[in-house]
Amino acid sequence: MASIFVVSAERFIPLFPRLACQGVLAHFLPTSVRWGRGGESVGGACVIRALWMNYPLPPSLAGMSPMLQAPVTLVGWPRRQGVLVSVLWLSTLDFLFGFQSRNNYHFKKMLNMFSKGTKRKFSDGDEEISDESLVGARVASSYSLQRQSLLDMSLIKLQLCHMLVEPNLCRSVLIANTVRQIQEEMTHDGSWHMVTEAFCGPGQSPSERLVATEVLCRSREQDAEPKLFSVISYEGCREEEVVADETLCSVSVSDTVSNVCLAGRIGQCWEKSELSGVERDEEALEDSRLGSGEDEEIDTEDGASTESPKTTGQVFGTFEIKNSSPAPDSALEELFSDVDTSYYDLDTMLTGMQSAPKMGPYDILDSLAPSHSSPSIVSTPKCRSDLNELDHIMEIIVGS
Amino acid sequence: MHFSTVFSLRVSLSCRAGGGGNDVQWCFSQVKGAIDDDVAEADIISTVEFNHSGELLATGDKGGRVVIFQQETENKSQPQCRSEYNVYSTFQSHEPEFDYLKSLEIEEKINKIRWLPQKNAAQFLLSTNDKTIKLWKISERDKRPEGYNLKEEDGRYRDAATITTLRVPVFRPMDLMVEASPRRVFANAHTYHINSISVNSDNETYLSADDLRINLWHLEITDRSFNIVDIKPANMEELTEVITAAEFHPHQCNTFVYSSSKGTIRLCDMRASALCDKHSKLFEEPEDPSNRSFFSEIISSISDVKFSHNGRYMMTRDYLSVKIWDLNMENRPVETYQVHEYLRSKLCSLYENDCIFDKFECCWNGNDSVVMTGSYNNFFRMLDRTQRRDVTLEASRESCKPRQVLKPRRVCAGGKRKKDEISVDSLDFNKKILHTAWHPQENIIAVATTNNLYIFQEKVN
């Protein structure tokens, strides 16, 4: 029996018994890793849908944000089991959902899954991954996948911090060094460069885009010695915003297992408001309990992928449940019908992220110009008013 | 103190073999702690330490308590001198605290206990949690004064009018009472979590090390400490290395070492400068390129460093191995022992479940011929330096019969599993032995599993 565990942005406490994830409570920060199995973008949405169908939603979740509409990212590897998943983490703007089966939290190595040619069946039989696709992926990029999964895991570890006790600095430093190492290697490989190139407008140099990855674990030190430290710092990128504005989204939605990744940049909207006027990274985040955790969601395409990336719009469009049709949705729609979805409008957030790095806090949402690669994304100005709301929420959280 | 091998007629009459290694057979002596599998978190043992004579054995737990066991006086005329350790004193050393500035709890878990050499009838030990070090005095009281003139025996004051005679109070024996009282509290000197304390051979000072700094204290002075090592970068973004352990040299009061998360050990001489940021010696083994992986740095992080009793060597424990260094040779260790090499292929899983960050300790035997360290599945390893042999033993409830000899265990890394071998995949990674201690003179070891303390002794025929 899976237990659902939710961290509410407002109260920042788990509403359900916490996930026994190495004894830590999940941070609420959005974090995106990659799609796991069932991994096509459409599959992603279906995964969620299927999940909801299989486990009854507690009533209190009914009023939750429409996570289905948000850029939910699959953080963690579903595991092949009789039950749907062993651990499945879904992250939206400010909720992190964990689904856990009886077994312990465990990331399943992607490589194992691939090498066994595992067919993963969801219990309602919706999704199946064909063996052929798995084999193809494996042959092409097992090393980079493994590296990617390690990177993702590390980023999650850095973010999931103990709520009450200071995290272990040694462990954090070691994980951060691992992340740095992976990112350096990816840079040398060119896989980093490839990804970023695809999505940035002309005139932006790599150095401008990739800045420090701030990992904030309880950086509430008032003595201006924040516990946070930058995970990655690239040369010449010590800008104040700590904000890597890239949405490094791999959009190679191929038939094979695609690892679509949505950068968790969403949080930046209101994080920036915290950061405005702050000189340096470290000082900026001291009072942010949530962590203006800039986690750099770096995703790379499968290293050897040669398919031209589809447009952002096409990919992200598939995440919008409101576009998808069939009956199962109606039940879900009911559940979420009363929720204000404007803030979680996927388009808005994503376009916001693709703008230039040095904008001020509110500018980013102003410039919701469609990116060159995603003509279908329409920007809405609604986000802005929600910023104030978020400010308010931030205050509550910080103050609590 | 230098313990040389006692070359006596061994076996039946004497327990003081001093040597070790594989001619030694270890057998079960005692186990302390609750039997049930449901471990209360406060009972998790977090440190184990013998005192300098070996008569006392102190353990600290996650609940902030210290339990001291005392060895029964041996009866040498007995053919089988099975000295047992019994509870001598229990006290609450540290309480949980709350740091209001950071809104963080400060755990009361005892990170380290270090005994002071005994100078008088009382015993002294230092115990530390993440932030505060305390000096405890443990003293015995076995007499009390009786026959006061103004007080009744129960303490009530007598009416002066009823006193007709005077008497001199005398000391009468009473049941032994062991009292522990905090004599000094060394607080507010560490921003980060204290991982080590070490008493200097001068018996006046000690050091305390946290993730980024090492402070030097005087045992008598609680409101000040000197900072002798500071590796905190000006910009915390640049932080890539932390201090993991530190220890004073056993004889040279000016020398100490500290280890880092990058697998380096720095030896510092306090005579060189007040701030010992520049090391006198840097011990680092070049990385083996064939073994390189993303986890190389993590597994090279040193979790414990211990000087040998004779002060010529030091031992470091990283995730997979134990290394013995000669203090005169910096570029590589003189000996390297694999603790559980079969885990090298499992590093990714161990990273997932955080086991890769477990901090194992290690210890020397009395004459520096054997070293011991813990592993998973309640296994611990004895590595004989002189005979170049090693053995894996298990601390489990199954081998708990008195004087039952421990059978060597074997782990099968892959391939066909032989009888009596245990395969890597069936190891229980929740059962880890992080803390072990060796009696300074005898072959008596204390091994801490999650919430039990096992005491093993050398088999005496």
Side-chain angles (χ1 to χ4, degrees):
Chain A
M1 220 11 234
S3 60
I4 299 174
F5 134 80
V6 169
V7 178
S8 141
E10 268 110 7
R11 293 206 300 280
F12 207 35
I13 52 169
L15 299 179
F16 289 90
R18 65 188 172 122
L19 193 69
C21 166
Q22 305 153 22
V24 301
L25 295 173
H27 212 267
F28 88 109
L29 271 185
T31 178
S32 67
V33 190
R34 0 183 319 121
W35 274 138
R37 316 288 147 338
E40 298 85 356
S41 56
V42 175
C46 290
V47 163
I48 302 163
R49 206 171 65 222
L51 282 176
W52 286 125
M53 283 168 63
N54 277 291
Y55 301 112
L57 274 182
S60 48
L61 271 187
M64 286 295 180
S65 74
M67 55 172 262
L68 301 179
Q69 294 189 16
V72 179
T73 58
L74 187 61
V75 176
W77 305 113
R79 188 173 164 174
R80 177 171 188 258
Q81 279 188 334
V83 188
L84 187 63
V85 287
S86 72
V87 173
L88 177 70
W89 295 72
L90 297 173
S91 157
T92 70
L93 176 69
D94 49 8
F95 297 109
L96 184 65
F97 295 85
F99 295 84
Q100 178 202 16
S101 71
R102 255 176 324 177
N103 298 336
N104 283 336
Y105 166 92
H106 179 68
F107 277 141
K108 186 72 174 174
K109 271 181 292 196
M110 192 170 183
L111 216 53
N112 283 350
M113 305 281 282
F114 280 137
S115 57
K116 289 180 200 160
T118 308
K119 243 186 225 195
R120 297 209 8 283
K121 275 175 168 276
F122 293 111
S123 60
D124 59 357
D126 272 355
E127 319 295 331
E128 275 188 25
I129 302 175
S130 65
D131 282 354
E132 302 83 50
S133 60
L134 292 176
V135 168
R138 171 185 45 150
V139 167
S141 56
S142 60
Y143 174 76
S144 69
L145 285 173
Q146 190 181 24
R147 182 175 63 186
Q148 181 64 44
S149 78
L150 185 61
L151 179 66
D152 301 335
M153 203 193 314
S154 306
L155 290 169
I156 292 166
K157 277 179 183 297
L158 285 173
Q159 289 195 346
L160 299 182
C161 297
H162 288 278
M163 307 291 282
L164 293 173
V165 184
E166 261 178 291
N168 186 341
L169 185 63
C170 181
R171 175 178 174 270
S172 304
V173 167
L174 288 173
I175 298 175
N177 288 350
T178 308
V179 170
R180 193 180 280 129
Q181 193 187 339
I182 296 175
Q183 288 183 341
E184 275 171 14
E185 196 179 290
M186 280 175 154
T187 313
H188 289 132
D189 273 357
S191 40
W192 186 286
H193 194 64
M194 218 162 48
V195 173
T196 60
E197 247 181 6
F199 295 101
C200 294
Q204 277 180 326
S205 66
S207 60
E208 280 177 330
R209 285 177 274 116
L210 296 177
V211 199
T213 299
E214 291 293 338
V215 174
L216 186 65
C217 295
R218 299 206 54 97
S219 74
R220 288 171 60 116
E221 291 197 20
Q222 309 284 331
D223 56 351
E225 281 185 345
K227 298 286 290 206
L228 62 91
F229 47 90
S230 159
V231 175
I232 313 289
S233 275
Y234 284 80
E235 303 303 319
C237 290
R238 308 284 183 126
E239 288 121 350
E240 66 188 70
E241 58 302 298
V242 203
V243 170
D245 274 311
E246 304 337 274
T247 299
L248 297 175
C249 298
S250 161
V251 286
S252 83
V253 181
S254 50
D255 298 331
T256 68
V257 165
S258 64
N259 301 306
V260 180
C261 159
L262 299 173
R265 199 74 52 231
I266 294 132
Q268 285 180 5
C269 291
W270 34 267
E271 283 159 13
K272 272 188 164 277
S273 63
E274 291 295 305
L275 293 176
S276 60
V278 173
E279 285 296 86
R280 298 177 55 97
D281 302 340
E282 37 196 356
E283 292 156 328
L285 309 173
E286 65 185 12
D287 51 5
S288 163
R289 177 175 177 153
L290 328 165
S292 349
E294 244 50 48
D295 49 316
E296 189 83 328
E297 300 312 331
I298 311 105
D299 191 353
T300 61
E301 309 177 329
D302 298 347
S305 168
T306 51
E307 300 188 66
S308 52
K310 299 189 184 164
T311 61
T312 317
Q314 285 175 346
V315 170
F316 296 135
T318 58
F319 288 124
E320 293 179 18
I321 307 303
K322 56 189 177 228
N323 291 338
S324 60
S325 51
D329 278 320
S330 55
L332 297 163
E333 291 294 303
E334 262 172 41
L335 286 168
F336 298 130
S337 52
D338 56 333
V339 181
D340 172 33
T341 67
S342 64
Y343 183 76
Y344 302 104
D345 189 22
L346 185 53
D347 305 333
T348 309
M349 287 179 289
L350 292 171
T351 48
M353 272 151 249
Q354 289 176 354
S355 41
K358 297 209 193 213
M359 294 175 156
Y362 298 95
D363 296 345
I364 225 176
L365 295 167
D366 275 344
S367 72
L368 300 173
S371 85
H372 67 286
S373 59
S374 53
S376 58
I377 295 180
V378 177
S379 57
T380 77
K382 280 190 259 181
C383 234
R384 179 156 198 180
S385 58
D386 291 313
L387 259 184
N388 297 327
E389 208 177 303
L390 282 161
D391 260 352
H392 181 56
I393 293 176
M394 276 293 294
E395 275 173 36
I396 296 172
I397 292 168
V398 170
S400 64
Chain B
M1 267 272 302
H2 183 84
F3 299 108
S4 50
T5 307
V6 175
F7 217 105
S8 62
L9 276 182
R10 194 167 111 50
V11 193
S12 55
L13 295 180
S14 166
C15 287
R16 297 184 176 275
N22 279 29
D23 48 345
V24 172
Q25 288 209 296
W26 292 95
C27 47
F28 170 83
S29 173
Q30 293 169 280
V31 61
K32 309 282 186 193
I35 300 179
D36 42 281
D37 281 332
D38 199 16
V39 179
E41 188 148 332
D43 292 336
I44 296 175
I45 298 173
S46 53
T47 184
V48 181
E49 186 82 358
F50 278 100
N51 76 336
H52 292 269
S53 66
E55 184 202 356
L56 298 175
L57 174 61
T59 62
D61 64 23
K62 215 165 169 210
R65 291 167 303 206
V66 171
V67 180
I68 302 178
F69 301 92
Q70 184 188 38
Q71 193 180 27
E72 271 172 24
T73 328
E74 295 174 27
N75 193 341
K76 289 210 178 72
S77 63
Q78 295 255 328
Q80 287 195 334
C81 42
R82 291 268 137 205
S83 41
E84 287 204 338
Y85 282 84
N86 299 315
V87 177
Y88 179 65
S89 171
T90 305
F91 57 93
Q92 184 77 33
S93 170
H94 286 73
E95 297 279 358
E97 286 169 25
F98 195 78
D99 181 340
Y100 292 99
L101 280 184
K102 301 182 198 175
S103 286
L104 291 172
E105 275 187 14
I106 298 172
E107 280 190 328
E108 67 273 30
K109 172 168 76 88
I110 308 293
N111 291 336
K112 282 285 176 345
I113 289 175
R114 289 287 181 262
W115 290 93
L116 268 56
Q118 189 172 13
K119 283 195 280 196
N120 51 35
Q123 302 277 357
F124 288 86
L125 61 78
L126 287 169
S127 69
T128 182
N129 69 347
D130 283 339
K131 299 285 185 181
T132 306
I133 307 138
K134 293 187 184 180
L135 176 69
W136 288 88
K137 175 179 176 182
I138 296 107
S139 48
E140 290 182 6
R141 188 194 292 259
D142 61 355
K143 294 191 266 288
R144 66 182 172 146
E146 284 180 20
Y148 282 107
N149 292 295
L150 295 175
K151 277 196 287 191
E152 301 286 1
E153 294 306 326
D154 58 8
R156 280 180 302 133
Y157 280 97
R158 291 167 71 181
D159 182 8
T162 64
I163 299 172
T164 51
T165 58
L166 288 178
R167 55 183 175 168
V168 178
V170 292
F171 276 102
R172 291 266 150 74
M174 61 178 254
D175 289 338
L176 180 66
M177 197 167 70
V178 181
E179 298 171 321
S181 58
R183 306 302 284 178
R184 307 270 186 279
V185 177
F186 305 91
N188 300 323
H190 285 279
T191 309
Y192 302 97
H193 293 339
I194 297 175
N195 52 54
S196 315
I197 48 175
S198 176
V199 184
N200 204 347
S201 49
D202 65 7
N203 287 336
E204 286 188 354
T205 56
Y206 73 95
L207 65 74
S208 59
D210 67 23
D211 292 320
L212 296 177
R213 298 193 178 99
I214 302 180
N215 291 334
L216 181 71
W217 300 83
H218 191 284
L219 284 165
E220 300 290 328
I221 300 170
T222 59
D223 59 354
R224 268 168 292 161
S225 71
F226 286 111
N227 176 247
I228 50 177
V229 173
D230 187 343
I231 64 168
K232 180 170 180 285
N235 183 356
M236 278 294 272
E237 288 178 21
E238 295 163 357
L239 178 66
T240 57
E241 191 174 8
V242 299
I243 297 171
T244 52
E247 196 181 49
F248 265 120
H249 191 278
H251 310 313
Q252 297 166 18
C253 57
N254 52 280
T255 307
F256 66 94
V257 294
Y258 67 94
S259 61
S260 80
S261 57
K262 284 199 168 162
T264 63
I265 309 102
R266 288 173 173 79
L267 184 141
C268 299
D269 187 335
M270 294 197 292
R271 297 170 300 187
S273 71
L275 187 59
C276 298
D277 277 355
K278 278 173 60 105
H279 53 263
S280 300
K281 294 193 185 184
L282 174 66
F283 297 84
E284 187 175 13
E285 184 175 24
E287 198 184 353
D288 178 6
S290 63
N291 265 338
R292 178 139 185 77
S293 74
F294 285 118
F295 305 108
S296 295
E297 184 181 324
I298 299 179
I299 62 171
S300 73
S301 170
I302 292 172
S303 52
D304 194 18
V305 65
K306 289 264 169 50
F307 277 105
S308 61
H309 289 98
N310 59 19
R312 290 180 50 200
Y313 299 97
M314 66 177 175
M315 162 168 59
T316 58
R317 173 74 156 98
D318 50 68
Y319 190 64
L320 295 179
S321 66
V322 164
K323 295 181 181 173
I324 313 276
W325 301 78
D326 185 324
L327 293 185
N328 298 314
M329 186 160 76
E330 297 169 57
N331 57 354
R332 61 179 174 82
V334 290
E335 293 155 33
T336 303
Y337 301 95
Q338 300 303 329
V339 179
H340 36 217
E341 182 70 8
Y342 45 80
L343 295 183
R344 193 179 285 274
S345 54
K346 308 280 175 194
L347 290 178
C348 197
S349 309
L350 294 165
Y351 181 70
E352 285 172 23
N353 61 16
D354 264 8
C355 281
I356 208 174
F357 300 108
D358 288 335
K359 293 196 184 297
F360 291 95
E361 292 175 9
C362 52
C363 58
W364 297 84
N365 74 336
N367 65 353
D368 300 334
S369 60
V370 184
V371 298
M372 169 170 67
T373 188
S375 177
Y376 292 105
N377 209 68
N378 282 351
F379 287 171
F380 58 99
R381 302 264 288 143
M382 315 278 266
L383 309 160
D384 190 334
R385 299 177 59 213
T386 46
Q387 299 185 18
R388 291 297 175 142
R389 287 196 294 187
D390 56 86
V391 69
T392 305
L393 301 171
E394 183 180 1
S396 82
R397 290 271 174 185
E398 273 85 47
S399 35
C400 272
K401 300 194 211 20
R403 297 188 283 281
Q404 177 180 1
V405 175
L406 294 181
K407 212 168 51 124
R409 304 302 309 260
R410 257 177 275 278
V411 177
C412 160
K416 203 158 154 47
R417 188 173 78 87
K418 302 192 194 67
K419 179 175 172 309
D420 277 355
E421 277 188 358
I422 182 168
S423 81
V424 184
D425 297 312
S426 24
L427 293 175
D428 188 342
F429 290 97
N430 290 322
K431 294 189 184 167
K432 47 192 100 167
I433 290 180
L434 302 172
H435 312 287
T436 57
W438 204 312
H439 190 289
Q441 283 142 337
E442 301 171 18
N443 276 341
I444 302 174
I445 54 176
V447 170
T449 59
T450 309
N451 65 331
N452 289 133
L453 183 72
Y454 287 80
I455 300 175
F456 300 107
Q457 290 187 351
E458 183 183 14
K459 179 163 160 35
V460 177
N461 298 326

